[in-house]
Amino acid sequence: MVICINFAIQIVYEIFMFFGKLLKLLVSPNVGWAGFDKYSIPNNLLLSKLFYPCLAILAISKFIPFICGYMEMELRVMIVSAMIDFIKYFVAFFMISFLITGLFKFTTESENTTNRLNNYIVLNLSILVIINILKNLVPGFPIFDLLPVYVAYVAYCGRNYMEIPSDKEKSFITSMAIFLLGVPLSLKYVFELMLPNMC
C-alpha cells in the first residue's frame, strides 16, 4: 500500500514538474527552451507526464461551462466535442512528426535529433491545448482566438533547441507553424464532417 502511495505521489510530482516547465515556456519562450535544452528528456516521458494529462484536462474542460450553468448543450454533443478535441491533438502529434521527418531529413540523422523533434512538437502542441482549455473555460472571450498565433512565436524561439541548419531554418519554422496551426484544425473539420449529426 505504501509503495503504491509513493508511486502515485511520484507520478503527480513529475506531472506538476513538467507543467511548471511548460508554464515557463509559455511565459518566457527563450528561457523555457533553454531549460529543456539542458536535459535529454525521452519523448515517451514527455508524452505520458505532460501531453496526455493536458489532453485529459482538455476533454474535462469541455464540460465545465455546462456544469457551471452558463452554457446549454446536449450531453451527447459535449461528449463528441470533447472526444474530437482530444483526438485531433493526439493524431496531430503523429501526423506532424511524420510530415516534418519526411520534409526535413536532418531530423532523422540521429536518435537524439528525432527525440528533440518529437519533444519540440509535443511542447508546442501542449501550449495549443492549454489555449484550448482556456477557451473552454471562458467561452466567447475573443483574445483566446488570437493566442494560437503566439505558438508560432514559441516555435520560432525553439530554433536553437532544434539545432536547425542555417539554410533550412526559415523553411523549417514556416512549415512547423503551418502544421501546428493547420493540422489540428483540419482534423477537427474532418471529424465534424464524419459526425455531422453529433456536433
Side-chain angles (χ1 to χ4, degrees):
M1 183 69 175
V2 175
I3 295 170
C4 291
I5 292 170
N6 287 338
F7 182 69
I9 290 170
Q10 184 181 353
I11 289 173
V12 171
Y13 171 76
E14 288 175 351
I15 288 171
F16 275 105
M17 184 185 70
F18 280 116
F19 269 92
K21 290 180 181 294
L22 181 66
L23 183 62
K24 188 183 287 185
L25 182 63
L26 185 60
V27 173
S28 179
N30 286 315
V31 174
W33 284 119
F36 278 104
D37 197 29
K38 289 179 185 177
Y39 309 102
S40 181
I41 303 170
N43 184 248
N44 60 347
L45 187 65
L46 205 58
L47 285 168
S48 62
K49 298 296 192 295
L50 178 66
F51 191 54
Y52 297 153
C54 276
L55 292 182
I57 295 168
L58 173 63
I60 293 166
S61 72
K62 207 74 179 178
F63 297 89
I64 301 298
F66 175 77
I67 293 168
C68 293
Y70 56 82
M71 183 177 283
E72 289 293 327
M73 193 181 291
E74 288 183 36
L75 182 60
R76 67 179 184 136
V77 174
M78 279 192 301
I79 291 170
V80 171
S81 183
M83 285 171 58
I84 288 173
D85 273 1
F86 184 98
I87 294 168
K88 76 178 181 184
Y89 287 112
F90 180 83
V91 175
F93 164 70
F94 297 100
M95 235 173 145
I96 294 169
S97 180
F98 174 77
L99 291 167
I100 290 293
T101 52
L103 287 173
F104 299 94
K105 296 304 177 189
F106 77 89
T107 59
T108 58
E109 286 175 356
S110 69
E111 191 176 329
N112 181 55
T113 310
T114 304
N115 188 70
R116 276 180 176 261
L117 170 68
N118 288 330
N119 285 351
Y120 180 80
I121 296 167
V122 164
L123 291 167
N124 284 301
L125 280 176
S126 294
I127 292 173
L128 273 176
V129 172
I130 295 295
I131 292 168
N132 208 327
I133 291 168
L134 293 174
K135 284 175 70 175
N136 289 342
L137 295 177
V138 192
F141 201 57
I143 190 72
F144 294 138
D145 292 328
L146 301 174
L147 282 179
V149 179
Y150 181 68
V151 176
Y153 172 70
V154 175
Y156 172 75
C157 291
R159 64 196 184 282
N160 292 330
Y161 171 81
M162 274 304 300
E163 299 172 352
I164 307 164
S166 55
D167 61 321
K168 291 182 171 59
E169 188 173 290
K170 286 182 182 176
S171 57
F172 178 86
I173 294 297
T174 303
S175 300
M176 187 58 75
I178 291 168
F179 292 150
L180 284 169
L181 298 177
V183 170
L185 279 175
S186 301
L187 287 168
K188 182 180 180 181
Y189 179 72
V190 169
F191 290 135
E192 287 176 350
L193 283 177
M194 290 166 62
L195 302 164
N197 299 322
M198 297 291 289
C199 301

